[in-house]
Amino acid sequence: MKKVVTLVLAFVFAVSMAGCAQAVHVDFPFDPADLDFIEMFHFYTPAEAEKKVITEQADMK
C-alpha cells in the first residue's frame, strides 16, 4: 500500500513539474518600441513596496 501511495505522489509531482516548464508568450496591444518608460513595483508585502523605473530601451526588451 505504501508503494502505491509513493508512486501516485511521484506521478502527481512529475505531472505538476511538467506543467511549470511551459513557456508563456504574451501579446501586447502595442509595440514595445513605443514605450517611454516602465514602472515596476517589487514587494512581498505592500508596506515594503519599492518602485523601479526603467527608461533604457535595451532594458525594456
Side-chain angles (χ1 to χ4, degrees):
M1 184 67 179
K2 288 183 181 181
K3 289 183 180 182
V4 173
V5 171
T6 304
L7 180 64
V8 169
L9 288 176
F11 178 74
V12 169
F13 178 74
V15 169
S16 66
M17 288 295 112
C20 293
Q22 296 176 354
V24 177
H25 180 71
V26 178
D27 291 325
F28 293 109
F30 54 86
D31 187 21
D34 295 338
L35 297 176
D36 294 329
F37 64 93
I38 296 175
E39 292 181 353
M40 298 184 344
F41 294 90
H42 181 264
F43 62 90
Y44 294 107
T45 59
E48 299 174 353
E50 296 177 7
K51 182 178 177 180
K52 181 177 181 182
V53 179
I54 299 174
T55 56
E56 296 292 326
Q57 288 291 329
D59 294 338
M60 290 186 204
K61 291 183 180 181

